[in-house]
Amino acid sequence: MFRRNERHQQGNLFSEINNLTAKARADLEQSWAGVYYRECFCRLDETVFAVLYSDEASRPNIPVNILVGLETLKAGFGWSDAEMYDHFRYDIQVRYALGLWVLGEGEFQLRTVYNFRRRLVQHYESTGENLLDQAFAQVTDAQIRALQLKTRCLRMDSTQVASNIRRMTRLEFAVEILQRVYRMLSADDQAHYAEAFAPYLQGSSEQYVYHLRGEETAPHLQRVGELMHRLLAELKATYEVNAIYTMLQRVFGEQFDLVDGAVQVKPGKQISPRRLRSPDDTDATFRRKGEKEYEGFVANVTETCEPDNPIQLITKVQTAPNVVEDTQLLAEALPELKKRTGVEVLYNDAGFCGADADKALRKEQVLQVPTDLRGRAPNPVRLNLADFETHTDGQGQPVAVTCPHGETVTVRSGRTPKHCLAYFPASACSACPLQDRCPTRLRQRDGRRTLRFDRQQLDTAQRRRRCAAYRREGKNPRAAIEATVGAVKRPFNDDQLPVRGLFRVGAMLLGSAMMVNVRRMQRYFAAKAAPKRPAEGSPTGREAVDDSQSSFSSLLQRGLARLFGPAASSRPKFALGC
């Protein structure tokens, strides 16, 4: 049965925190723990997670904000589950961050965390709702409102991350699948297929291929494929609904072909990048970027980048198989970002430029400013569409165009709605000094010159103009996003996360991103609260020098006044609320 956690708002007179000195207590409240408690723990709407629990009268749930907090801290500090649990039980900062004031209060078994994760995954698989992503958005939006941050400008960047899987050769992977199929079989079936499986059960899949040379693997892979084909036919009636049998079916279809009833090994170039990379992670995919190869996922990070903001916060983290293009990630994220932040300008690199992104940007009326462009650069000798200034309406449709010589004409529709025509009068073009370089074509019928373009060419030209203007300004609002991406991945070694699966990888990245925001806010609040040092020679500065030379009695009097004066009596001894 779901119940909200409001106990932390009541406080506890016998808390170990009350035994701290005033300075230690102030340091605790100003540390990351205090910031997390106020800005994340207290802002989290637990009712979002009520769907994970039964509506019937039963034992109340372990507080959701504590469970979500543990997941966040685990990711943000790169802890293992055992380390996370030890910090939860004995670390005063962690307990303060989670609203627990007394050691031993609110303890539960580590298995509770595992059950909570399992419910999150099951809910995601059955409904497609990522509750942790919703919680991150809700908390971040509340932080932005409280700090009065501007969100008109955002920037985004993607990066490659790997799950906790090992890289295997095709033969090693196929042998691993066979070994798991054998463990799936009943005792009678294991005895029946003992001879067929015998060569593959002498050790691990890695040991099987250890002594083979590269040229010797082909016949072994062929024999594995033939055995898989036989097993698929003979085991279907008994094991068709088993997850291991489904995996065997998928691997055979991805790695082998049936030609006239005979099994043939697929050439490497014909295998899809989306093929199964590990039996332990069915979501991970393969991608080659330049000379590097990646197995796993892509993470896309979006944050604010208004120059007037005192700090910038991460607003969204997306995780997808690494074969998903950046343009698709942008198109998927933009409607939600527009609704939450009202974004008007988006800074990114060339990877986010494309037809899918252009369509989403036009629909949401967001201006994309790329730092670079993909594709071949236009001929610098000739003029191109980017040299023409295009005027659009509220829906982004072109209504007029101005040539580099300053002549403005109306844009008309061509044979199809996506094609556009602009007719320049002969009187204006005949004396134009740019005529030899102009991309327009002469109409023999009336002497006018015609500029033809379609929607895709216009989008590319507008991006090129914005990119050129961006470079002329000499500013680079997008550059800092690379440091943000590095901060999100910093708790994980070699960009490899200690978990598997799309949901768990995404949950770890969300937790790390939330802790990046917490650390930024902690530095901001600390700098804001720090006393300003008086300039040397100022009256305040001279007073400070005089104070340093004052007598012992005056120092004692000021100390007693601070200790027993009105300010001391008004100082809070315990945080009773958010």
Side-chain angles (χ1 to χ4, degrees), residues 75 77-78 160-164 488-498 508:
F77 289 100
Q160 297 289 322
V161 293
S163 62
N164 190 22
V488 172
K489 297 197 299 181
R490 191 165 294 123
F492 317 116
N493 295 326
D494 299 325
D495 300 339
Q496 186 171 35
L497 278 67
M508 292 287 285

Side-chain angles (χ1 to χ4, degrees), residues 308-563:
D308 296 337
N309 287 343
I311 59 172
Q312 311 296 350
L313 295 183
I314 299 173
T315 57
K316 187 169 182 62
V317 179
Q318 298 167 264
T319 307
N322 64 6
V323 294
V324 177
E325 294 292 337
D326 291 346
T327 53
Q328 184 177 342
L329 293 172
L330 186 152
E332 292 175 356
L334 201 57
E336 179 190 344
L337 289 173
K338 183 69 174 183
K339 181 179 180 180
R340 289 172 49 204
T341 67
V343 56
E344 298 176 7
V345 182
L346 184 63
Y347 294 93
N348 46 42
D349 59 23
F352 292 89
C353 300
D356 292 341
D358 291 334
K359 184 178 180 180
L361 291 163
R362 282 196 303 272
K363 181 178 180 181
E364 303 297 338
Q365 298 183 16
V366 176
L367 185 67
Q368 183 187 44
V369 182
T371 57
D372 205 352
L373 296 171
R374 291 191 293 186
R376 182 182 301 175
N379 186 350
V381 178
R382 301 277 300 175
L383 296 175
N384 58 82
L385 187 59
D387 296 311
F388 290 72
E389 182 180 0
T390 307
H391 310 277
T392 58
D393 58 16
Q395 285 70 40
Q397 297 299 324
V399 294
V401 63
T402 302
C403 74
H405 194 53
E407 186 70 22
T408 301
V409 297
T410 303
V411 174
R412 304 177 182 178
S413 298
R415 294 180 179 177
T416 62
K418 69 177 183 178
H419 289 90
C420 303
L421 299 173
Y423 297 106
F424 290 88
S427 58
C429 296
S430 59
C432 178
L434 303 175
Q435 187 175 158
D436 295 339
R437 301 170 53 197
C438 188
T440 58
R441 294 186 179 182
L442 178 64
R443 287 169 54 96
Q444 299 295 338
R445 185 181 311 170
D446 52 17
R448 292 185 297 175
R449 300 189 72 90
T450 307
L451 179 67
R452 300 175 183 269
F453 56 92
D454 56 27
R455 183 75 254 187
Q456 184 176 356
Q457 291 172 331
L458 177 60
D459 291 335
T460 302
Q462 290 178 329
R463 279 198 303 268
R464 198 174 298 280
R465 286 178 64 88
R466 291 193 294 268
C467 184
Y470 175 87
R471 292 174 178 174
R472 286 195 299 268
E473 291 177 357
K475 301 178 181 179
N476 193 356
R478 195 205 70 88
I481 188 65
E482 296 180 1
T484 299
V485 170
V488 172
K489 297 197 299 181
R490 191 165 294 123
F492 317 116
N493 295 326
D494 299 325
D495 300 339
Q496 186 171 35
L497 278 67
V499 295
R500 304 186 184 107
L502 178 62
F503 182 87
R504 289 291 295 128
V505 170
M508 292 287 285
L509 293 173
L510 284 168
S512 181
M514 185 173 290
M515 284 305 299
V516 170
N517 285 347
V518 167
R519 294 185 181 104
R520 290 180 177 181
M521 287 185 287
Q522 190 270 331
R523 291 193 294 268
Y524 168 68
F525 293 144
K528 190 176 180 181
K532 296 182 179 179
R533 298 184 61 181
E536 186 176 353
S538 65
T540 308
R542 287 196 298 269
E543 291 173 4
V545 174
D546 293 340
D547 286 345
S548 66
Q549 299 173 355
S550 60
S551 64
F552 172 77
S553 60
S554 63
L555 289 174
L556 180 61
Q557 290 176 1
R558 285 196 297 272
L560 292 174
R562 285 195 298 268
L563 185 62

Side-chain angles (χ1 to χ4, degrees), residues 166-170 172-173 176 205 275 277-279:
R166 62 186 177 96
R167 302 193 68 171
M168 293 183 285
T169 64
R170 291 180 66 181
E172 182 182 354
F173 176 67
E176 178 69 26
S205 57
R275 76 168 177 87
R277 310 299 303 181
S278 168

Side-chain angles (χ1 to χ4, degrees), residues 50-253:
V51 295
L52 303 179
Y53 300 93
S54 172
D55 294 331
E56 299 179 0
S58 55
R59 182 178 179 180
N61 61 290
I62 297 297
V64 169
N65 48 12
I66 292 180
L67 295 173
V68 173
L70 287 174
E71 291 292 286
T72 301
L73 298 180
K74 167 186 167 66
F77 289 100
W79 294 333
S80 65
D81 285 338
E83 291 172 328
M84 175 197 69
Y85 192 59
D86 284 343
H87 281 286
F88 165 69
R89 298 179 69 188
Y90 309 118
D91 191 330
I92 192 171
Q93 276 191 300
V94 170
R95 296 187 66 81
Y96 184 83
L98 300 180
L100 299 171
W101 317 118
V102 180
L103 288 177
E105 177 188 14
E107 285 198 4
F108 49 82
Q109 296 298 317
L110 186 57
R111 174 59 57 185
T112 303
V113 178
Y114 299 153
N115 291 335
F116 181 66
R117 292 173 185 168
R118 176 175 52 80
R119 291 194 190 101
L120 288 171
V121 173
Q122 290 175 346
H123 182 78
Y124 173 75
E125 292 176 347
S126 61
T127 66
E129 289 184 340
N130 188 335
L131 298 183
L132 291 178
D133 184 53
Q134 293 181 20
F136 177 85
Q138 175 256 316
V139 170
T140 304
D141 291 347
Q143 293 167 351
I144 289 174
R145 288 192 298 270
L147 294 170
Q148 298 182 351
L149 301 182
K150 298 178 181 179
T151 57
R152 188 183 70 90
C153 296
L154 301 178
R155 55 191 172 206
M156 67 170 50
D157 195 18
S158 64
T159 185
Q160 297 289 322
V161 293
S163 62
N164 190 22
I165 59 175
R166 62 186 177 96
R167 302 193 68 171
M168 293 183 285
T169 64
R170 291 180 66 181
L171 178 59
E172 182 182 354
F173 176 67
V175 171
E176 178 69 26
I177 296 299
L178 285 180
Q179 291 180 348
R180 299 199 179 200
V181 170
Y182 181 80
R183 294 196 291 269
M184 172 193 72
L185 301 178
S186 63
D188 292 340
D189 287 336
Q190 287 181 351
H192 177 73
Y193 291 103
E195 183 177 355
F197 278 95
Y200 310 107
L201 303 178
Q202 302 303 316
S204 66
S205 57
E206 185 178 10
Q207 292 171 332
Y208 180 86
V209 301
Y210 182 77
H211 298 287
L212 297 179
R213 297 179 179 179
E215 62 272 10
E216 297 176 350
T217 60
H220 287 266
L221 192 59
Q222 177 68 30
R223 287 194 290 271
V224 168
E226 292 172 353
L227 177 57
M228 284 185 172
H229 184 240
R230 172 190 170 189
L231 293 172
L232 285 173
E234 298 178 1
L235 301 178
K236 182 176 182 179
T238 307
Y239 299 96
E240 185 177 12
V241 297
N242 192 290
I244 300 298
Y245 179 88
T246 303
M247 186 179 298
L248 173 68
Q249 197 172 31
R250 175 180 173 181
V251 171
F252 180 81

